Amino acid sequence: QVRLVESGGGLVHTGESVRLSCAASESIFGRYPAAWYRQSPGKQRELVAQITSGGSPDYADSVKGRFTISKNNAKNTVYLEINTLKPEDTAVYYCNAGPFDPSGNHYFYWGQGTQVSVSS
């Protein structure tokens, strides 16, 4: 079973930047796509960025221009950089990767999440 472990969250101020990391227990990012989701209290989990196995990124319209997804296959790590943070970016951010799981319309493996809290 592949484990995904997110890190890099915390309490940040409006306008600052943060870089989240998702480390995999196996070398999967060269074979499978990966994605970042976020979930705010009382809201559904939202897909914010994804990256193909070949490294092509894609973003939700709501975060384009401020979010950057990248990866380092040799380090088995996917990153999410968030610039110009806003209070509405406050959420738990989840890493998702692996083969596609049609039962849930997402990839197969999930991390435990990392909290990002943005103070105004």
Side-chain angles (χ1 to χ4, degrees):
Q1 180 78 357
V2 174
R3 289 185 62 236
L4 300 178
V5 179
E6 300 97 331
S7 61
L11 178 63
V12 292
H13 294 98
T14 297
E16 293 181 340
S17 299
V18 67
R19 189 175 80 157
L20 309 180
S21 298
C22 170
S25 59
E26 298 179 19
S27 180
I28 64 168
F29 296 129
R31 293 182 286 135
Y32 296 112
W36 285 95
Y37 287 75
R38 67 182 178 185
Q39 187 166 21
S40 304
K43 294 186 178 181
Q44 288 189 332
R45 193 169 295 191
E46 172 192 20
L47 174 64
V48 294
Q50 54 187 330
I51 189 166
T52 66
S53 58
S56 296
D58 192 24
Y59 302 95
D61 288 342
S62 60
V63 305
K64 279 181 180 176
R66 293 194 304 119
F67 285 36
T68 302
I69 188 170
S70 62
K71 62 176 182 167
N72 185 325
N73 291 341
K75 293 185 177 181
N76 299 334
T77 303
V78 171
Y79 305 97
L80 183 70
E81 183 168 353
I82 310 173
N83 296 313
T84 318
L85 278 155
K86 305 175 181 180
E88 52 263 43
D89 293 321
T90 295
V92 178
Y93 285 76
Y94 296 92
C95 181
N96 177 230
F100 185 68
D101 181 0
S103 67
N105 195 32
H106 49 66
Y107 305 123
F108 195 77
Y109 304 113
W110 287 96
Q112 83 290 346
T114 186
Q115 174 73 47
V116 175
S117 299
V118 185
S119 65
S120 56

